[in-house]
Amino acid sequence: MERTNVPPVGPMDLPLSLLEMGCSGRFELITHPTPGQPMPPLTTVLLENTDLSAKNSLSLQRQPGPPSESLRGSNTSYPFLPGGMEELTLDQIKKKSDLEEDIDFENDLLKVAPGLKNGMDFTEKDAKIAKPEVNLMSLLTTYDGISDFHRDVEEKEEVKDTKEAPTLPRTNSLEDLGIKDAVSSSTSSEKGKAEKSKETPEEKKKWAIPVNISAPCDDFYKRIPNPAFKWPFELDVFQKQAILRLEAHDSVFVAAHTSAGKTVVAEYAIALSQKHMTRTIYTSPIKALSNQKFRDFKTTFGDVGLLTGDVQLSPESSCLIMTTEILRSMLYNGSEVIRDLEWVIFDEVHYINDAERGVVWEEVLIMLPDHVSIILLSATVPNALEFSEWIGRIKKRHIYVISTLKRPVPLEHHLYTGNSTKTQKELFLLLDATGNFLTKGYYAAVDAKKERTSKHAQSFGTKGSNQNTTASQDRSVWLTLLHFLSQRQQTPVVAFTFSRTRCDENARSLESMDLTTSIEKAEIHSFFQKSLSRLRGGDRQLPQILLMRDLLKRGIAVHHSGILPILKEVIEMLFSRGLVKVLLPQRRLRWE
């Protein structure tokens, strides 16, 4: 056999590997010893900034905190540096700005408060200089001179039109600054023009980039030969365009109608993060939606956790489902999860327009670090480009706007009167699937409403109609409407109510209604008993649990903040299976 001479190992053939740890820029050096070869000598490298910690730095290069604070962080920790902002170096911090002044705390102390003419005298009693005597006649002469000046100004009004503003003396009194507003208003337009001319190229840059979805995306599978996730159906063009942007690690805003397939974009981001061994956070505005997405993604991906105010499941998972308030707390407390975070998905991002809770979405978008990409999902944002422009400007990154007007599930508006035997089984179409208002259906509904009153009452009675209804009238309308929808097989039905008390009253008014079959009753009973087996014996006999058990067996459920968390989850799961035929949730008026 011939003997092959192998050249000696050179400096480029060291058995080393470099492993990237997450998206925070951390690397780990791994050595692979070769059999029969001695280990290369170790080299000592001095690290810089080893004193950085969560207590004194915003940098991602700081030391990790204790394991007990890795998930939620600590209220004494600094957050990571928000994206779009530059971290100041030590030299920049020490360097004084042009606006800073050296203050002499011995000689330049402020003696007269702003807005006042007189102040305090801090000089020593011995060093005080005798004040000159006040001459009353000189004061009167000064006053006469001021009066003559004002009189001359009133006679010559054309002085106001002069272009050159008078030079005002510096004063600490608000009384002497009356002319300041007039001067500032005359020069406001000139200042505005000067500010526009001084805009930097960074400020003039367009951050929101609309994506054209009219042309077919034929080269999708050529550009992504091995996608991170596959579906059993063909994707739409807007879904393909969004996935192409995710593969490039860009931020996207997807605006599409309900059931159009926005969740496909979120699913691909989760699969892509699992492929990259990073983490994804999916935020939703309400706990019920978080629970639903947790169940759906848990079935699809497996490695999914849930963080809400009620429960905490699998917090070490690569994908975490949580409410936006939880994510805001993690960002402010410097959670270590942010280091390995690649995507943050904001579902129903139009909640940012809410007067009370919208600030949460604003804070989270501002506080996200630079290495985190953003996915915004919404169905009801008319100014998607303007909103994306604001986000891109504060984050200093492009936002690709992908919107579609296609509505897979047609939306129609019907009116049900149900106040006569003739109209108990009739729905009046007011708005068709194309968005056209039908006057014929409207006038037919008005005529049906008038049939309730007799001709005598129409001629001689009151002209104004009473909009308030009694409980018995509500009960009769509810019963006739739900029986009508059940006969037409148009259940499940979601009936929103603006009051928690009204939700319970509407549920009690349906005591005589039974919408489930014997097979469905057995399935509901089995699932209900199995779900509540974790509770103690006495807790299973709570009045709310007994009441909800009877309602669920008949296919009726109530969902609001007063329901126990375990009952709400049971109701959500039964509704997703189609076993709850009538759901009565509370909906606040401001969401309308």
Side-chain angles (χ1 to χ4, degrees):
M1 296 181 62
E2 297 181 1
R3 184 175 181 179
T4 305
N5 296 324
V6 180
V9 178
M12 302 301 295
D13 300 326
L14 295 178
L16 302 175
S17 297
L18 199 62
L19 178 63
E20 182 180 2
M21 306 295 292
C23 293
S24 58
R26 298 169 56 200
F27 295 90
E28 183 177 345
L29 192 65
I30 301 177
T31 58
H32 305 281
T34 305
Q37 295 289 338
M39 288 290 294
L42 298 178
T43 305
T44 304
V45 179
L46 297 179
L47 300 178
E48 298 180 357
N49 298 330
T50 55
D51 56 339
L52 299 182
S53 67
K55 309 302 179 184
N56 59 12
S57 173
L58 303 176
S59 175
L60 285 167
Q61 306 300 326
R62 70 192 190 193
Q63 300 177 7
S68 59
E69 301 176 357
S70 60
L71 179 63
R72 301 275 185 168
S74 173
N75 54 5
T76 59
S77 299
Y78 281 19
F80 290 109
L81 182 70
M85 301 182 183
E86 297 181 359
E87 187 175 8
L88 298 178
T89 61
L90 189 59
D91 296 335
Q92 291 174 336
I93 294 174
K94 293 181 179 180
K95 184 179 179 181
K96 291 184 179 181
S97 172
D98 297 335
L99 301 178
E100 296 181 8
E101 300 178 359
D102 291 330
I103 301 176
D104 188 355
F105 289 96
E106 295 183 358
N107 302 321
D108 294 341
L109 292 178
L110 185 65
K111 300 178 181 179
V112 181
L116 301 179
K117 291 186 176 181
N118 298 325
M120 299 293 294
D121 189 1
F122 296 102
T123 57
E124 299 179 1
K125 295 181 179 181
D126 299 336
K128 285 185 179 179
I129 304 175
K131 296 182 180 179
E133 296 182 358
V134 180
N135 191 349
L136 184 60
M137 294 304 295
S138 63
L139 289 178
L140 294 176
T141 306
T142 306
Y143 178 76
D144 293 339
I146 295 175
S147 301
D148 295 338
F149 171 75
H150 286 292
R151 193 179 302 110
D152 294 339
V153 172
E154 292 176 358
E155 293 176 357
K156 299 178 181 181
E157 295 180 355
E158 61 272 8
V159 177
K160 299 180 181 179
D161 299 330
T162 56
K163 296 182 179 180
E164 295 182 359
T167 305
L168 298 178
R170 185 172 181 179
T171 176
N172 288 327
S173 175
L174 294 178
E175 299 174 1
D176 299 335
L177 298 178
I179 201 173
K180 183 177 181 180
D181 296 335
V183 176
S184 61
S185 62
S186 62
T187 58
S188 59
S189 59
E190 299 178 0
K191 289 182 179 179
K193 295 179 181 179
E195 290 177 357
K196 289 183 179 179
S197 62
K198 292 180 181 179
E199 286 183 355
T200 61
E202 194 77 13
E203 295 174 350
K204 296 180 180 179
K205 189 176 182 180
K206 293 294 182 181
W207 299 102
I209 302 177
V211 178
N212 183 20
I213 62 170
S214 58
C217 191
D218 297 330
D219 58 342
F220 176 74
Y221 296 103
K222 293 182 180 179
R223 297 172 64 178
I224 310 178
N226 298 316
F229 192 80
K230 295 181 180 180
W231 292 268
F233 52 86
E234 182 65 21
L235 299 178
D236 292 338
V237 178
F238 83 94
Q239 295 170 335
K240 293 181 179 179
Q241 292 286 358
I243 290 175
L244 288 175
R245 301 265 54 101
L246 296 187
E247 285 284 351
H249 206 269
D250 294 324
S251 297
V252 296
F253 184 104
V254 181
H257 289 292
T258 304
S259 302
K262 298 187 296 295
T263 312
V264 167
V265 183
E267 289 176 344
Y268 195 84
I270 296 172
L272 201 61
S273 68
Q274 291 184 349
K275 179 181 179 180
H276 296 165
M277 293 186 295
T278 56
R279 307 186 83 169
T280 301
I281 288 180
Y282 186 101
T283 68
S284 64
I286 53 179
K287 297 178 183 177
L289 185 57
S290 298
N291 297 335
Q292 176 190 349
K293 291 300 180 181
F294 169 72
R295 291 189 293 267
D296 296 343
F297 292 155
K298 187 74 174 178
T299 305
T300 307
F301 299 101
D303 190 19
V304 180
L306 177 65
L307 289 177
T308 62
D310 298 331
V311 294
Q312 177 175 316
L313 301 175
S314 305
E316 71 284 348
S317 302
S318 61
C319 176
L320 294 176
I321 315 295
M322 64 184 66
T323 55
T324 319
E325 283 80 2
I326 299 293
L327 178 57
R328 178 181 64 171
S329 175
M330 293 171 60
L331 287 169
Y332 275 112
N333 294 338
S335 170
E336 297 296 331
V337 176
I338 309 301
R339 293 181 183 271
D340 301 330
L341 193 58
E342 184 177 7
W343 304 101
V344 172
I345 305 168
F346 293 93
D347 198 4
E348 309 293 340
V349 75
H350 56 269
Y351 271 69
I352 196 174
N353 195 35
D354 179 63
E356 296 182 8
R357 298 181 60 201
V359 64
V360 180
W361 278 260
E362 294 179 3
E363 293 178 10
V364 169
L365 287 170
I366 293 173
M367 291 296 297
L368 284 175
D370 216 4
H371 69 273
V372 182
S373 296
I374 304 169
I375 299 176
L376 308 168
L377 307 177
S378 179
T380 55
V381 176
N383 55 341
L385 273 176
E386 182 182 357
F387 178 57
S388 302
E389 183 70 24
W390 171 75
I391 297 177
R393 187 169 63 252
I394 64 174
K395 304 304 292 182
K396 298 294 186 294
R397 65 187 308 166
H398 291 295
I399 307 292
Y400 290 86
V401 183
I402 303 170
S403 58
T404 175
L405 300 177
K406 180 182 178 182
R407 186 184 286 274
V409 180
L411 179 62
E412 298 179 347
H413 294 263
H414 292 80
L415 181 62
Y416 179 80
T417 57
N419 33 2
S420 66
T421 10
K422 182 180 178 181
T423 60
Q424 280 184 357
K425 296 184 178 180
E426 188 174 4
L427 288 175
F428 301 97
L429 182 61
L430 301 183
L431 202 68
D432 60 8
T434 58
N436 298 323
F437 182 77
L438 305 180
T439 55
K440 182 180 179 181
Y442 171 74
Y443 287 118
V446 171
D447 295 338
K449 187 74 174 175
K450 290 181 179 179
E451 289 185 7
R452 181 177 181 179
T453 356
S454 62
K455 295 181 179 180
H456 181 80
Q458 293 180 21
S459 304
F460 305 100
T462 57
K463 301 301 179 183
S465 59
N466 186 16
Q467 301 296 331
N468 298 325
T469 57
T470 61
S472 59
Q473 292 174 341
D474 285 346
R475 187 182 303 110
S476 61
V477 172
W478 275 110
L479 291 174
T480 53
L481 174 61
L482 294 177
H483 277 301
F484 172 62
L485 295 176
S486 180
Q487 291 173 2
R488 295 182 59 175
Q489 296 182 354
Q490 291 184 332
T491 55
V493 177
V494 180
F496 291 105
T497 312
F498 300 128
S499 169
R500 183 195 303 182
T501 307
R502 197 65 178 269
C503 286
D504 299 331
E505 291 177 355
N506 292 339
R508 285 192 294 268
S509 65
L510 305 177
E511 294 177 353
S512 60
M513 179 168 289
D514 193 350
L515 302 174
T516 56
T517 62
S518 58
I519 300 177
E520 290 175 338
K521 282 182 172 60
E523 187 176 353
I524 292 172
H525 177 76
S526 174
F527 183 80
F528 190 85
Q529 294 300 122
K530 184 179 179 181
S531 301
L532 297 182
S533 60
R534 305 176 183 178
L535 299 179
R536 300 176 182 176
D539 294 341
R540 300 176 193 173
Q541 302 300 320
L542 292 174
Q544 187 180 104
I545 292 180
L546 298 178
L547 176 63
M548 198 61 62
R549 183 189 61 187
D550 298 336
L551 287 175
L552 287 173
K553 286 183 179 180
R554 294 186 283 111
I556 304 169
V558 179
H559 193 286
H560 54 69
S561 57
I563 304 298
L564 295 173
I566 189 172
L567 281 181
K568 287 196 290 187
E569 190 172 358
V570 168
I571 292 169
E572 293 163 7
M573 298 178 74
L574 290 176
F575 181 77
S576 62
R577 296 185 183 185
L579 297 175
V580 174
K581 309 299 180 181
V582 178
L583 181 62
L584 303 171
Q586 179 191 4
R587 186 167 186 175
R588 297 182 180 179
L589 187 60
R590 64 170 183 267
W591 299 132
E592 282 296 309

